[in-house]
Amino acid sequence: MVRSASPTLPRIRVLATGGTIAGAETKGARGYKAAAFSVDALIAAVPQVGELARLDVEQVAAIGSQDMDEATWRKLAARTSAALADADLAGVVITHGTDTMEETAFFLNLVVRSEKPVVLVGAMRPATAISADGPMNLFNAVAVAAHAEAHGRGVLVVANDEIHFAREIAKTNTTQVGTFRATARGLAGLVNAGRIHFYSAPVRKHTAQSEFSLDGGSALPRVDIIYAHVGTGRELIDAAVKAGARGLVIAGVGDGNLGATALAAAAEAAKSGVAVVRSSRTGGGVVERNIEIDDDRHGFIVADELNPQKARVLLMLGLTRTRDARELQEMFFTY
Ligand code: SIN
């Protein structure tokens, strides 16, 4: 039961989507089903949140985040924006599976126009596990969303006592509770049993300053990711273009590189009007223009610091505004 919250506490909306934070074990400690518990059950497990905020809740979806899709993204963006437009509401917490949390967080970072806090939270261990991490993560997420200093920092992710920026975070481990890392620019801050320490501000444009909007309502353009490896052929690039991809993100080797055969196919795709973004499969670092590959000649775009899955999010939104490679490149240096 949620402890009775004082009417002077900030109001926070909790939007639930499922994930392991709402998961239940099915075979002792060996297997589990994500999204088994409702948002009410999650909050009932952390009655202490009633000391931080007045919560109202909405179950937006009940899925493992591997099933996150554009329709649910749109619903989440709309429900988040509507909540934040309420002058009486201080912030939004979104419970979400960790697998694709970085993509949803970055998507919302680009389409929700508000300075108010939006905090995504998940867990690596299901709610019924020994030492489940969900309850403390949820408590900390509400603490961050209710905190005045969280304003203007874009969409945040809270897990394992850490606060991360949506743009910087990546899931880096299959099972460990410390899976989230921000290798390029570090943490936004720490949250220790609800006590918050912010260290830095976001470095790129986000939320209220973003140019992207979902108002048109038409489906986002198709963007596929091509994973490079020793001996990458051209078949998958050609197939993606044939399937109607308007954009390709190359998860390149090293500095976003591709072998000659695949490079020729990517160059042909770019020539035919498909936006081709070079990112890296390494998990860290900057992909710069014109180092080993002549981006100017091929009409390629570089992902800067974005990993392939985040580059895909930005490219989908960018393509709703322009197909010009130079303008798209500018977006990768801006967001
Ligand atoms: C999921 O992403 O829904 C499953 C994994 C997790 O939440 O940790």
Side-chain angles (χ1 to χ4, degrees):
M1 194 181 72
V2 177
R3 287 181 196 168
S4 59
S6 152
T8 58
L9 288 174
R11 249 182 81 214
I12 298 292
R13 173 81 39 90
V14 181
L15 303 176
T17 69
T20 297
I21 191 169
E25 290 168 317
T26 52
K27 298 174 225 149
R30 290 194 58 79
Y32 73 96
K33 182 179 174 324
F37 292 108
S38 70
V39 60
D40 294 313
L42 294 192
I43 288 168
V46 200
Q48 297 87 341
V49 288
E51 292 161 16
L52 300 173
R54 292 173 288 150
L55 301 186
D56 45 62
V57 302
E58 182 180 342
Q59 190 81 46
V60 173
I63 55 176
S65 77
Q66 64 272 30
D67 288 320
M68 188 53 64
D69 57 15
E70 186 182 328
T72 314
W73 269 359
R74 285 178 179 274
K75 193 171 170 193
L76 259 185
R79 300 306 299 139
T80 302
S81 300
L84 297 177
D86 178 345
D88 187 40
L89 207 120
V92 168
V93 168
I94 299 172
T95 64
H96 194 290
T98 60
D99 287 353
T100 62
M101 188 182 289
E102 67 204 66
E103 289 163 72
T104 300
F106 190 50
F107 176 75
L108 295 175
N109 198 49
L110 296 174
V111 300
V112 171
R113 301 267 183 90
S114 175
E115 296 280 350
K116 290 184 185 175
V118 177
V119 180
L120 273 75
V121 62
M124 292 300 286
R125 298 182 183 135
T128 56
I130 300 168
S131 196
D133 50 333
M136 182 55 91
N137 286 350
L138 183 56
F139 181 79
N140 282 336
V142 172
V144 172
H147 201 277
E149 273 189 57
H151 278 240
R153 292 181 194 266
V155 173
L156 299 168
V157 170
V158 167
N160 198 34
D161 296 352
E162 295 175 343
I163 311 169
H164 290 272
F165 296 117
R167 179 181 182 272
E168 312 305 335
I169 194 173
K171 185 170 183 177
T172 65
N173 188 283
T174 53
T175 56
Q176 292 178 350
V177 294
T179 186
F180 286 117
R181 292 266 172 270
T183 50
R185 293 173 187 269
L187 291 171
L190 290 177
V191 49
N192 186 11
R195 297 182 301 277
I196 291 158
H197 310 271
F198 274 112
Y199 296 150
S200 58
V203 291
R204 296 289 176 90
K205 278 193 178 180
H206 58 81
T207 55
Q209 313 116 35
S210 171
E211 70 196 88
F212 303 111
S213 136
L214 300 171
D215 289 347
S218 49
L220 293 173
R222 176 177 176 141
V223 173
D224 291 322
I225 298 175
I226 305 290
Y227 199 97
H229 49 81
V230 169
T232 318
R234 63 173 297 144
E235 296 82 358
L236 293 182
I237 293 174
D238 292 341
V241 172
K242 196 160 169 232
R246 299 249 316 272
L248 295 177
V249 174
I250 309 297
V253 295
D255 192 9
N257 287 325
L258 264 181
T261 306
L263 183 63
E268 279 172 39
K271 198 157 279 163
S272 75
V274 175
V276 177
V277 174
R278 294 194 303 109
S279 179
S280 173
R281 67 176 201 179
T282 58
V286 182
V287 176
E288 295 170 317
R289 290 189 66 80
N290 303 318
I291 303 296
E292 286 188 77
I293 289 177
D294 190 340
D295 296 300
D296 290 346
R297 181 159 71 89
H298 296 307
F300 292 161
I301 298 150
V302 293
D304 194 37
E305 294 166 348
L306 295 183
N307 68 22
Q309 55 272 30
K310 283 196 193 153
R312 176 176 174 269
V313 172
L314 179 55
L315 185 55
M316 285 192 296
L317 288 168
L319 283 167
T320 64
R321 298 189 58 79
T322 183
R323 293 186 78 158
D324 183 276
R326 270 168 301 201
E327 288 175 17
L328 289 165
Q329 180 64 80
E330 206 42 49
M331 291 174 185
F332 278 85
F333 293 144
T334 302
Y335 293 96

